[in-house]
Amino acid sequence: MLNLPTCYDERTNGVAIGHLLWLHNIVQAYGMYEFGKDRYKMLEATGWNKKKSFEDNIAKMASFNAGRSHQSDVDLSGALSSHFDAELLKKKLAECHELLNSKTDEPTDEEKKEQGWDQAYNLTVWEEFPGQPTVSGVLLQNMTGGRMGITGTGPTRASMVEAKNMRMSFSASNADIQGFAC
């Protein structure tokens, strides 16, 4: 991504050109449609106010996802004057907006598959709070790094070994505390 100004360059009027090109590329190359759509939604939510100055709008942007989404009314010719193929880049920015903006309906699974964006496999290991979560179970799960408080998954050999090791750890800690108190 050579010769691309950041959204902090006034010639871009806050449009995150590099970010948008990256989103376009990950959708086209890797089929990461849902990820791209979620990231684009954050750019749309920037809350750019045309009545405020560029500096005021930049100051209120979140630093972790700076910039705003593609804006068809913003002329990026000056910002892209150093880019080797400004017209192709403008076309990709418009495609990115067309694919990912919040007003566009999500493609069906069949349409995603036609584009080569079908899901290879789900990387989700398990539900965050499987079974019937309780407040105490969720707290226990969070306090123990997910080792305890999970319901509905059943014990495995590995979880039984982990539980035994944790009990031994607690017993050893308890003995240390009792010995210290004497």
Side-chain angles (χ1 to χ4, degrees), residues 30-44:
Y30 303 113
M32 296 174 65
Y33 178 82
E34 289 84 4
F35 176 81
K37 184 105 173 165
D38 289 343
R39 293 298 293 251
Y40 196 84
K41 191 184 309 179
M42 289 190 278
L43 293 173
E44 287 179 316

Side-chain angles (χ1 to χ4, degrees), residues 5-103:
T6 70
C7 63
Y8 299 107
D9 185 325
E10 198 162 350
R11 298 174 299 165
T12 66
N13 204 5
V15 175
I17 297 170
H19 195 132
L20 295 173
L21 182 58
W22 172 68
L23 290 174
H24 177 274
N25 290 344
I26 64 169
V27 169
Q28 294 301 328
Y30 303 113
M32 296 174 65
Y33 178 82
E34 289 84 4
F35 176 81
K37 184 105 173 165
D38 289 343
R39 293 298 293 251
Y40 196 84
K41 191 184 309 179
M42 289 190 278
L43 293 173
E44 287 179 316
T46 299
W48 193 270
N49 186 340
K50 292 180 182 181
K51 294 178 183 174
K52 292 187 177 181
S53 71
F54 176 79
E55 291 79 18
D56 289 342
N57 278 304
I58 290 293
K60 72 173 187 152
M61 265 194 232
S63 61
F64 60 88
N65 197 38
R68 64 184 185 142
S69 62
H70 172 47
Q71 305 295 312
S72 58
D73 61 336
V74 173
D75 181 16
L76 296 173
S77 299
L80 300 177
S81 61
S82 300
H83 194 270
F84 66 93
D85 196 346
E87 291 308 310
L88 177 61
L89 180 54
K90 287 180 193 177
K91 180 182 172 204
K92 287 185 177 189
L93 296 177
E95 284 176 9
C96 180
H97 177 72
E98 185 65 33
L99 283 171
L100 303 176
N101 80 75
S102 58
K103 294 177 180 150

